Amino acid sequence: MYKIFIVEDDWGIANAMKEQAERWGFAVTLAEDFQNILTEFAKVQPHIVLLDITLPFFHGYYWCQEIRKVSKVPILFISSASDNMNIVMAMNMGADDFIAKPFDGNVLMAKIQAMLRRAYDFSSEMSLLEHREAFLNTADNTLTYRGEKIPLTKNEYRILLCLMENKNKVVSRERLMERLWATDSFVDENTLSVNVNRLRKKLDAAGLEHFIATRFGVGYIIE
């Protein structure tokens, strides 16, 4: 089932779109915290975003840019500000399409279906892990924090992936080594320590201090 994330502060319009999309078999989530759309986006992990331009706190262009920094998910702008300037601005910010209010619900559903067909095959999966505004995209193995990419080696990525998949749980050193052994590289205790320390330095330099905590004698945790 495809997931739709609707970022619209007019609850009448938002709920009308939600009801129609659900009748077409989509799973729909409405944005609630308009100051933290990116965090909600990461929790929902939608296959498509419907985004209004005029929103509380930050306009839709801002959130479009922020989403584009961490994901290639299709974005459809929905707005009554449908002059050519706004349409061009939306596309330049990374949107995939634009539909003007008022619109016909069936036309909206047709646009959504067309965008989904273009963007996905039926076996594709998305995964975006988030913690403290850091986004780990498992589709392209990238880590983004406040719009900046943090380069990771293969081992650093695999360590961070394992820890973020088990957020708020202690991951033992043995489990991390097993995770890395599953690849083509041999990892011993010393190699794991070197990789974790190097990863921590990169995170600290990017502003993510104390992102990975040590539980002495047990392992590591992200919480």
Side-chain angles (χ1 to χ4, degrees):
M1 180 182 291
Y2 284 114
K3 295 179 287 185
I4 300 176
F5 183 40
I6 298 177
V7 186
E8 165 65 73
D9 63 323
D10 184 318
W11 296 112
I13 294 174
N15 280 295
M17 289 192 290
K18 181 176 187 291
E19 290 173 8
Q20 179 142 20
E22 287 176 339
R23 287 198 296 270
W24 282 62
F26 296 110
V28 183
T29 301
L30 301 183
E32 296 180 354
D33 184 354
F34 290 95
Q35 285 185 287
N36 294 290
I37 293 298
L38 200 58
T39 300
E40 290 196 358
F41 169 83
K43 290 178 181 177
V44 175
Q45 296 200 36
H47 295 92
I48 189 169
V49 177
L50 308 187
L51 183 60
D52 192 12
I53 293 177
T54 306
L55 297 167
F57 305 107
F58 303 96
H59 52 60
Y61 299 136
Y62 171 81
W63 290 120
C64 183
Q65 285 185 302
E66 292 301 297
I67 291 171
R68 274 291 164 264
K69 291 174 182 177
V70 299
S71 175
K72 296 178 181 178
V73 65
I75 298 174
L76 172 61
F77 265 101
I78 298 175
S79 178
S80 56
S82 58
D83 56 275
N84 289 340
M85 179 74 74
N86 279 292
I87 294 174
V88 170
M89 179 76 76
M91 297 305 176
N92 287 340
M93 293 297 169
D96 296 277
D97 207 341
F98 192 107
I99 189 169
K101 299 176 186 176
F103 52 82
D104 181 276
N106 290 323
V107 173
L108 175 63
M109 292 300 110
K111 275 186 174 285
I112 290 172
Q113 288 185 314
M115 292 172 69
L116 290 171
R117 281 196 301 270
R118 290 195 299 267
Y120 305 105
D121 60 42
F122 288 100
S123 63
S124 65
E125 291 292 334
M126 290 181 56
S127 186
L128 192 66
L129 305 177
E130 184 273 340
H131 183 62
R132 285 176 50 188
E133 300 182 67
F135 296 86
L136 188 66
N137 190 328
T138 63
D140 58 10
N141 299 1
T142 59
L143 178 66
T144 306
Y145 177 61
R146 294 183 176 175
E148 298 296 325
K149 299 283 187 184
I150 303 172
L152 301 175
T153 65
K154 288 182 180 180
N155 278 350
E156 290 165 356
Y157 166 75
R158 290 162 183 153
I159 290 168
L160 191 58
L161 174 62
C162 188
L163 292 173
M164 290 185 74
E165 284 176 339
N166 295 279
K167 188 166 65 172
N168 297 318
K169 299 177 183 177
V170 176
V171 179
S172 69
R173 291 176 59 86
E174 290 76 16
R175 183 173 177 185
L176 286 173
M177 286 189 288
E178 287 172 5
R179 187 74 169 259
L180 298 180
W181 281 337
T183 68
D184 54 1
S185 58
F186 173 76
V187 177
D188 58 15
E189 288 273 354
N190 183 61
T191 305
L192 178 63
S193 297
V194 169
N195 277 274
V196 171
N197 289 336
R198 185 183 297 131
L199 175 58
R200 278 176 162 158
K201 288 179 180 178
K202 287 184 179 180
L203 297 173
D204 287 348
L208 289 165
E209 294 89 355
H210 311 299
F211 195 78
I212 299 172
T214 300
R215 293 291 183 266
F216 292 101
V218 184
Y220 304 99
I221 185 172
I222 286 176
E223 60 183 353

